[in-house]
Amino acid sequence: MLTSMVKEHHKEQVKRKQEQEVRRKEAIEASNELTHSLVEHLNVGVAQTYLNQKRLDAEAKQLHVGATNFAKQTHQWLQLIDNFSGALKELGDVENWARSIESDMMVIQQTLEVAYKASRASQATGATAGVGSEPSTSAAAATATAAINPSSKET
């Protein structure tokens, strides 16, 4: 009877060891599956992050190229505006010069008109009085100068 109890106890221990081994294998398998699932889940996130990073890098490069092109274009625009500004200044200088020339020509025209009228008047007076034209011509020039330039005091 004791032997049978020992045999029975031994059978139960072997049976328990087998059950424990089965449970241990199931636990290991379950932990492996859990680990695999977690790694897969993390890998999906990492892969998505990697793709997003690649996309961001590409967009950053495009942005840099666009910013560089914009800076070049802005520089060209600034040069164009400077050139245009210079041209406007030159045009203003030319316009000012033209006004000055026009003013000078008006003065010359008025002087010639006054001199001509004075010359005609002195010739008409000299012809009736019989006096030479030279003294009256210098008087006409003085009159013309005084008419154009009132500040001069030549007589």
Side-chain angles (χ1 to χ4, degrees):
M1 184 153 163
L2 188 60
T3 17
S4 71
M5 280 173 89
V6 171
K7 284 186 182 179
E8 211 176 292
H9 177 68
H10 186 31
K11 281 184 183 179
E12 283 179 24
Q13 277 185 343
V14 169
K15 189 176 181 182
R16 281 185 198 146
K17 280 185 179 181
Q18 287 176 351
E19 286 176 5
Q20 281 181 348
E21 187 64 30
V22 168
R23 286 184 190 148
R24 187 181 68 80
K25 286 181 181 179
E26 287 175 356
I28 290 173
E29 190 176 313
S31 69
N32 284 341
E33 286 179 17
L34 176 64
T35 304
H36 182 69
S37 295
L38 289 174
V39 168
E40 281 296 315
H41 180 69
L42 287 175
N43 281 343
V44 168
V46 168
Q48 185 65 36
T49 303
Y50 177 75
L51 291 175
N52 288 343
Q53 184 64 38
K54 277 181 69 175
R55 219 175 298 134
L56 285 175
D57 287 343
E59 287 179 14
K61 285 179 184 177
Q62 286 178 344
L63 181 63
H64 179 69
V65 167
T68 303
N69 289 340
F70 181 70
K72 287 178 184 176
Q73 188 176 20
T74 302
H75 183 69
Q76 289 174 346
W77 285 349
L78 288 174
Q79 285 181 337
L80 184 66
I81 288 171
D82 284 344
N83 292 341
F84 183 68
S85 180
L88 283 177
K89 285 180 184 177
E90 288 177 11
L91 183 62
D93 290 344
V94 168
E95 185 178 358
N96 209 11
W97 173 78
R99 284 186 191 145
S100 176
I101 294 294
E102 183 181 15
S103 173
D104 289 348
M105 294 305 288
M106 292 295 257
V107 168
I108 292 170
Q109 178 189 1
Q110 290 172 355
T111 303
L112 288 175
E113 282 181 14
V114 169
Y116 177 74
K117 287 179 182 176
S119 170
R120 293 293 272 172
S122 69
Q123 282 179 358
T125 316
T128 56
V131 178
S133 63
E134 283 194 30
S136 61
T137 305
S138 56
T143 307
T145 304
I148 293 172
N149 205 357
S151 64
S152 96
K153 297 189 177 184
E154 265 185 48
T155 53

